[in-house]
Amino acid sequence: SKEGRYIQHQDEFGNLWFGNSHGLVTKYNPVNGNADNLKVEYTHNGKKTEAKSINAIYLNTRNRLWIAAENGLYVYDANQKKFLAYMPADNTTGIITDICQDGGGNMWLGTERGVFLAQRDGETINLTSGFEESANVSATRVLDLYVNNFNQLYASYEDKTVHIDTRTRKVIETMMLHRDYSSGHIYCITDDGSGCTWLGTAAGVVMVNNETL
């Protein structure tokens, strides 16, 4: 369908993945122009659960496509072309807003209720939380996730940014709106070659020197 909202993800092979508000994911190869459509639905014990609007997609290094829809999280094996797991949305996470993978292959979710580490065990997805609570900040809606060159996770919220070491799974620091920077929404994050991560906000640019943390 050409109507509705679209989200986009580029994988390490250069393919573009698009998810729309009708529960459809499209893989587009910009080299040859080929496009393949995937209807997101998970079947268990004869019961089919179709995805509603897609919020985030991420193809990890194991060629597993993680798809966050309004009604839950789906994991798809892009090699065998079959769905492996499904986790319905509930009060634990609320709606999943973003997905990323760290350097150790672990999957992270940004949700309406904060950051979660997600680990798949067969058809089950197990969650670990409490990162915000360990830093004495509230676990609110995550806007963006980003893993830098130091294998550190940045989670952006309306009122703060939480910085997590994915190896120790400990919060390194928190940056609060008005105290550490003047805009709460971080629109983009990138690394340079000198060990710094740069955060682009509505009010300007914030630099974090990771080697001093």
Side-chain angles (χ1 to χ4, degrees), residues 2 10 34 75 77 98 107 136 153 170 185 190 201-202:
K2 296 182 179 180
Q10 183 176 19
N34 290 339
V75 180
D77 188 327
D98 203 4
M107 302 300 296
N136 296 315
L153 176 72
K170 302 293 185 182
H185 191 118
T190 190
T201 78

Side-chain angles (χ1 to χ4, degrees), residues 62-148:
R62 299 187 63 192
N63 220 23
R64 307 289 194 265
L65 187 67
W66 289 59
I67 306 166
E70 292 285 339
N71 58 319
L73 178 67
Y74 297 77
V75 180
Y76 177 76
D77 188 327
N79 291 326
Q80 299 186 25
K81 299 186 183 305
K82 67 177 183 178
F83 283 92
L84 304 175
Y86 168 70
M87 181 185 74
D90 58 19
N91 290 330
T92 301
T93 63
I95 293 174
I96 297 170
T97 57
D98 203 4
I99 308 172
C100 73
Q101 182 183 28
D102 66 30
N106 301 301
M107 302 300 296
W108 295 82
L109 309 177
T111 79
E112 289 185 314
R113 311 239 189 321
V115 171
F116 289 80
L117 173 66
Q119 297 170 299
R120 185 179 69 86
D121 182 11
E123 296 183 88
T124 302
I125 300 173
N126 299 312
L127 301 177
T128 302
S129 62
F131 301 99
E132 295 88 355
E133 289 82 352
S134 70
N136 296 315
V137 295
S138 55
T140 53
R141 182 183 180 92
V142 175
L143 303 177
D144 300 287
L145 292 177
Y146 176 80
V147 175
N148 68 10

Side-chain angles (χ1 to χ4, degrees), residues 1-59:
S1 172
K2 296 182 179 180
E3 299 179 353
R5 177 179 60 84
Y6 284 80
I7 61 97
Q8 176 182 324
H9 168 69
Q10 183 176 19
D11 64 32
E12 61 179 356
F13 307 108
N15 299 305
L16 299 175
W17 297 81
F18 299 92
N20 69 14
S21 55
H22 306 294
L24 182 71
V25 169
T26 300
K27 174 187 175 183
Y28 174 71
N29 186 324
V31 176
N32 58 28
N34 290 339
D36 299 307
N37 292 324
L38 171 66
K39 181 64 177 177
V40 181
E41 55 186 21
Y42 179 74
T43 302
H44 180 70
N45 292 333
K47 181 181 178 181
K48 182 182 297 183
T49 304
E50 297 183 355
K52 297 181 181 178
S53 182
I54 307 297
N55 293 326
I57 44 182
Y58 192 98
L59 185 71

